Amino acid sequence: MTINRLTLQEPTTDTRLSAPKTDAAASVSLEAHGLDRQLEAVLMVADEPQGLVHLATAVGRPISDVAASVARLVADFNGVAGPDGTRTIRRGFELREVAGGWRIYVRATHDELVTDFVLTQNPSRLSQAALETLAVIAYKQPISRGQVASIRAVNVDSVVRTLLGRGLVIETFTDSETGAINYATTDLLLTQLGINSLDELPHLSPLLDGGTDGFEDLL
């Protein structure tokens, strides 16, 4: 009887598999994490969708890095498992691509809750700045945030967010050339003012010192 003998060989060592992670690899991971947090901070205060070029300029990084970071944030907010298998908690907000840019929105499943909170649970009075901004939008709608800011000569980002949250104004359309979102008032404003249409708003001329002098140039 013949016995086949197998020759056992010493296993070869693949240094590529056993090599420890380099400091450079760890540095890249930390750098990506830092970029994610920077973009997250910028997007949290953005009133309009931000394009990749704009975001890359804001953080001083290549567009390819920013695009990869945005994809990671989308997955993170959605609770999707990452490359390492870890899964985050699905957030009440999402990073959504709209009109060629990215912006953080309340997740649709929570729209009713947030609307109820804004309209009934947070009934504080509007500030003077909010009232002035609302008046500009009411008389000049549809109008972009930049145009409102030029009329009032102040930044109106937070004020417009307040008015949107209160349901007094809405986003109507995005300018195809500039990417600026235009705003208009809602029926809730008519209800609050006790009027049926914007045509019933008082004329501004009698309310201005010196009549209409200079007002038409602004509007």
Side-chain angles (χ1 to χ4, degrees):
M1 181 175 61
T2 302
I3 300 177
N4 292 327
R5 295 184 177 182
L6 300 177
T7 303
L8 299 179
Q9 298 180 348
E10 292 292 330
T12 58
T13 301
D14 189 341
T15 57
R16 293 176 300 173
L17 298 178
S18 60
K21 293 182 178 179
T22 64
D23 291 340
S27 174
V28 171
S29 178
L30 289 174
E31 186 177 3
H33 179 77
L35 176 59
D36 292 354
R37 301 291 75 80
Q38 288 179 332
L39 290 175
E40 187 177 59
V42 170
L43 291 165
M44 283 295 291
V45 299
D47 285 322
E48 298 179 354
Q50 304 297 307
L52 292 179
V53 173
H54 194 184
L55 290 172
T57 301
V59 298
R61 296 290 296 276
I63 296 178
S64 58
D65 289 354
V66 170
S69 180
V70 167
R72 288 193 297 269
L73 289 176
V74 171
D76 182 21
F77 296 166
N78 289 341
V80 177
D84 59 354
T86 58
R87 183 182 296 274
T88 58
I89 298 174
R90 185 178 176 88
R91 314 292 181 82
F93 52 85
E94 63 181 330
L95 183 55
R96 190 187 310 164
E97 186 175 16
V98 177
W102 294 90
R103 183 182 177 190
I104 292 177
Y105 289 86
V106 172
R107 202 170 289 279
T109 52
H110 304 301
D111 278 346
E112 185 176 349
L113 171 66
V114 173
T115 299
D116 178 69
F117 171 78
V118 170
L119 299 182
T120 63
Q121 304 299 323
N122 190 28
S124 56
R125 293 180 178 275
L126 291 176
S127 65
Q128 183 65 31
L131 289 173
E132 292 175 1
T133 300
L134 181 58
V136 173
I137 296 175
Y139 280 95
K140 290 298 298 176
Q141 60 187 303
I143 185 172
S144 71
R145 184 167 46 85
Q147 291 172 320
V148 175
S150 67
I151 292 174
R152 294 199 56 230
V154 294
N155 187 289
V156 297
D157 292 358
S158 61
V159 175
V160 171
R161 281 200 301 271
T162 298
L163 297 176
L164 282 168
R166 297 292 182 86
L168 295 170
V169 301
I170 57 172
E171 300 174 357
T172 53
F173 66 92
T174 301
D175 189 285
S176 59
E177 295 183 358
T178 65
I181 296 176
N182 280 254
Y183 301 90
T185 55
T186 66
D187 290 340
L188 178 61
L189 176 63
L190 301 180
T191 301
Q192 296 291 334
L193 295 177
I195 59 179
N196 293 316
S197 72
L198 295 173
D199 294 334
E200 298 180 35
L201 288 173
H203 294 291
L204 291 178
S205 298
L207 304 177
L208 299 174
D209 292 335
T212 60
D213 185 28
F215 187 71
E216 291 300 328
D217 293 337
L218 289 175
L219 299 183

